[in-house]
């Protein structure tokens, strides 16, 4: 998922087409795409940022997505819970948090409440496996980022070291 600076959508799409397939989401300055070598893509973007490449006139931030899911309002928590259950075993023991960035369904999905439920779900899964985890927004070692676009969503487990290595990867 890529967000652009104001009025940067066209320039970003023109430049990123060389890395993979990207398309509009219907939300202003936000699009999604698929690249074959994500790590290599991030390295190229990091080098471009360090060398003040013009692509950064258009891009604001990038958020990886590993798993996608479709939902309806009544099934949102269940479907997201399934995704979280799939991610939880890969989540390292220790401090973490789940962050949902919702686009669409304003006022219909209680984002903070669902984040708390998903955090508790991860903690319970870890406890069941004899591992210890806790929610910590400052000292976290990993974050599960969830992005929604109307009735579809995506999630990724992102390690703190990855966020530090690629500063354009930002999760609120």
């Amino acid at each position: 998922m890529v967000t652009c600076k104001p009025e940067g959508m066209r320039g970003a799409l023109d430049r990123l087409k060389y890395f993979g397939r990207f398309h509009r989401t219907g939300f202003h300055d936000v699009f999604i795409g698929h690249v074959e070598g994500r790590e290599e893509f991030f390295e190229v973007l990091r080098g471009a940022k360090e060398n003040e490449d013009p692509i950064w006139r258009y891009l604001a931030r990038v958020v990886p997505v590993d798993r996608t899911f479709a939902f309806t309002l009544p099934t949102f928590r269940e479907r997201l819970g399934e995704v979280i259950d799939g991610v939880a075993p890969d989540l390292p023991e220790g401090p973490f948090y789940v962050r949902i960035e919702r686009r669409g369904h304003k006022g219909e999905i209680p984002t903070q409440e669902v984040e708390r439920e998903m955090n508790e779900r991860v903690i319970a899964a870890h406890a069941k496996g004899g591992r210890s985890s806790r929610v910590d927004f400052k000292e976290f070692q990993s974050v599960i980022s969830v992005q929604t676009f109307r009735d579809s969503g995506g999630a990724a487990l992102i390690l703190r070291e990855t966020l530090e290595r690629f500063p354009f990867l930002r999760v609120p």
Side-chain angles (χ1 to χ4, degrees):
M1 191 271 319
V2 177
T3 59
C4 301
K5 293 179 179 174
E7 307 305 320
M9 184 76 107
R10 175 163 291 180
L13 285 172
D14 284 346
R15 293 200 168 43
L16 290 176
K17 67 184 175 190
Y18 300 106
F19 300 102
R21 295 182 329 265
F22 291 87
H23 61 277
R24 298 172 190 264
T25 62
F27 292 93
H28 190 66
D29 294 332
V30 179
F31 59 97
I32 55 176
H34 174 76
V35 297
E36 286 299 321
R38 183 169 71 187
E39 193 78 14
E40 294 83 8
F41 174 62
F42 292 162
E43 286 292 346
V44 168
L45 288 180
R46 181 173 63 165
K49 188 150 185 87
E50 290 168 359
N51 293 318
E52 299 179 11
D53 188 283
I55 195 169
W56 287 102
R57 281 187 255 168
Y58 309 111
L59 299 183
R61 72 182 178 116
V62 177
V63 179
V65 171
D66 293 322
R67 300 166 189 245
T68 59
F69 63 101
F71 64 90
T72 61
L73 281 174
T75 64
F76 177 68
R77 291 173 198 239
E78 176 188 346
R79 297 290 305 182
L80 178 57
E82 292 167 358
V83 170
I84 295 297
D85 290 346
V87 171
D90 298 329
L91 188 80
E93 190 171 19
F96 78 99
Y97 67 93
V98 173
R99 175 65 73 218
I100 299 172
E101 286 188 88
R102 178 202 44 74
R103 292 172 186 83
H105 296 298
K106 184 175 182 180
E108 298 174 310
I109 295 175
T111 305
Q112 291 179 333
E113 180 182 312
V114 176
E115 286 174 343
R116 281 191 296 274
E117 287 176 24
M118 297 304 131
N119 284 327
E120 291 170 10
R121 199 171 183 131
V122 170
I123 291 168
H126 277 195
K128 187 176 178 180
R131 296 167 46 194
S132 174
S133 294
R134 71 182 195 290
V135 175
D136 191 325
F137 296 99
K138 295 206 185 298
E139 301 298 322
F140 68 93
Q141 293 303 309
S142 55
V143 58
I144 298 174
S145 169
V146 178
Q147 306 291 317
T148 69
F149 304 94
R150 290 181 196 84
D151 294 337
S152 59
L157 167 61
I158 310 169
L159 301 178
R160 183 181 202 122
E161 60 205 33
T162 304
L163 292 171
E164 290 171 351
R165 198 163 105 222
F166 304 113
F168 50 85
L169 298 179
R170 290 195 302 272
V171 179

